[in-house]
Amino acid sequence: MAILVVGGAGYIGSHAARALRRSGYEVILYDNLSTGHRRLAQGFELVDGDMADEPKLRSVLTRVDAVMHFAAHAYVGESVENPRKYFRNNVEAALTLLNATLDAGIRRFVFSSTCAVYGVPTQIPITEENPRQPVNPYGTSKLFCEYALEAYDRAYGLRSARLRYFNAAGADESGEIGELHDPETHLIPLALAATGPGELQIFGTDYPTPDGTCIRDYIHVSDLAEAHVRALQHLEKGGDSVALNLGTGGGHSVLEVIHAAEAATGRAVRRKVGPRRPGDPPVLVADARRAQQVLGWKATRTLADIVSGAWQWMQRVQSGS
Ligand code: UDP
């Protein structure tokens, strides 16, 4: 069984590729390397191509049985400033991929969605039934793909898993791959960097949470990757299309993350308190029960695992090894 991992040289795609291979799948990566890295694709066949390149896609799709799609722009702030870029890639090019997949006769598709499709949640923890009302173009672009997949299921029998990630973080236990974003905007790598020359700005300490800082559901990227394999297996067994939250079901505040970074590194995180970041809801935590019921999957790694893995990876990158 061969799987095309589109965006396979990126952070989550490269972890999914390894999880697939560990489960015995043949894996081909497809990536235009705009934000992906050859380093993360090492040891895999990599087709250097854009999602909008239909002929290239068509030729590689003849060699696979299912598609996993990770190739999206994923900065919320940038999507507000430059929605055209987001709709061009995350919607238009994604539709090219979807149509080419369909034309190739493939009927299994695993899609990287996001809790950003919910916008401001109506209740915590967030279930999959929460209304989908994204509040930025990034979330809108992902929601479009969810709608397209739902329509293609009804019309053409394309079965999909739409996996709504909460806050992915951490690094593969092998030490070979991890997060390489430029610019880095995510809390965990920034908190770790602030144990060195950097300084972390805490975006608000006046939220209605126990310590005043925002709470998020941080999920280890390897747990996420394993959920993708389970989702694919669910579709292979003839399971229906599904939309699933991928989170731990528990939340941690910004201050708790800082303390975890200090515990993992043995160093102080240099920080200052800044204003709230526009658009940040106080609490985003998944109700992760449906993924457990449907896939038999549950996140097993803790915040300490996430932070220590991210720290090891960061040291490796900094030392040039
Ligand atoms: N955050 C922060 N300082 C930073 C980056 C993030 O205080 O430099 C906070 C942010 O307000 C949010 C949490 O950390 O509450 C996680 O943010 P991140 O950007 O990692 O992920 P997001 O939840 O936006 O997807």
Side-chain angles (χ1 to χ4, degrees):
M1 187 72 66
I3 315 300
L4 188 68
V5 179
V6 182
Y11 175 44
I12 302 176
S14 62
H15 285 81
R18 274 159 183 77
L20 283 165
R21 191 160 66 185
R22 285 173 190 145
S23 297
Y25 291 92
E26 220 181 289
V27 177
I28 303 174
L29 310 185
Y30 189 93
D31 202 296
N32 67 3
L33 298 170
S34 65
T35 55
H37 299 266
R38 277 191 197 282
R39 172 178 188 159
L40 302 183
Q42 251 171 34
F44 287 84
E45 177 184 351
L46 170 66
V47 177
D48 182 349
D50 195 278
M51 261 199 314
D53 185 344
E54 204 174 319
K56 199 171 242 180
L57 271 179
R58 285 189 190 281
S59 81
V60 71
L61 283 165
T62 59
R63 301 169 50 205
V64 299
D65 306 283
V67 172
M68 287 194 182
H69 168 33
F70 298 89
H73 298 312
Y75 291 112
V76 168
E78 185 187 48
S79 80
V80 175
E81 282 153 28
N82 191 359
R84 184 172 181 165
K85 173 177 176 180
Y86 278 68
F87 294 142
R88 164 83 197 78
N89 184 73
N90 296 7
V91 175
E92 254 183 272
L95 209 47
T96 302
L97 170 64
L98 207 52
N99 290 332
T101 300
L102 200 63
D103 293 344
I106 295 166
R107 292 293 179 269
R108 290 187 285 269
F109 198 97
V110 178
F111 174 60
S112 286
S113 192
T114 166
C115 64
V117 298
Y118 297 120
V120 181
T122 53
Q123 53 169 27
I124 301 290
I126 305 171
T127 70
E128 288 83 356
E129 308 311 326
N130 194 97
R132 288 176 290 173
Q133 293 167 337
V135 291
N136 53 61
Y138 167 65
T140 305
S141 71
K142 290 284 184 173
L143 181 54
F144 173 85
C145 291
E146 288 204 5
Y147 285 148
L149 286 165
E150 288 161 21
Y152 280 25
D153 183 13
R154 282 190 294 271
Y156 313 122
L158 178 77
R159 279 180 298 113
S160 67
R162 300 167 313 272
L163 304 179
R164 298 179 186 150
Y165 310 160
F166 282 66
N167 287 58
D172 188 65
E173 281 93 3
S174 69
E176 291 168 6
I177 55 170
E179 203 162 356
L180 280 178
H181 292 127
D182 184 19
E184 186 52 77
T185 62
H186 292 112
L187 176 63
I188 290 177
L190 290 176
L192 290 167
T195 62
E199 186 179 47
L200 178 73
Q201 187 173 164
I202 300 174
F203 295 147
T205 52
D206 58 350
Y207 283 97
T209 59
D211 66 23
T213 63
C214 284
I215 293 177
R216 295 287 179 272
D217 187 340
Y218 296 93
I219 175 164
H220 196 294
V221 64
S222 300
D223 281 325
L224 267 189
E226 286 158 14
H228 286 70
V229 177
R230 296 286 187 102
L232 179 66
Q233 290 166 343
H234 163 82
L235 297 177
E236 279 170 358
K237 283 187 290 199
D240 288 336
S241 292
V242 277
L244 299 172
N245 286 339
L246 296 183
T248 66
H252 292 284
S253 70
V254 174
L255 286 180
E256 285 171 348
V257 169
I258 289 173
H259 296 147
E262 291 182 329
T265 60
R267 303 182 192 174
V269 171
R270 285 150 40 88
R271 70 258 205 181
K272 64 172 182 220
V273 174
R276 291 183 178 195
R277 184 171 66 177
D280 265 343
V283 182
L284 291 175
V285 173
D287 182 329
R289 287 175 299 178
R290 189 188 281 177
Q292 187 169 8
Q293 285 155 10
V294 175
L295 306 181
W297 167 92
K298 195 173 181 305
T300 56
R301 296 162 179 93
T302 64
L303 180 65
D305 298 330
I306 291 174
V307 174
S308 63
W311 178 233
Q312 277 163 23
W313 167 249
M314 189 178 279
Q315 286 176 303
R316 198 165 171 153
V317 171
Q318 278 166 359
S319 70
S321 61

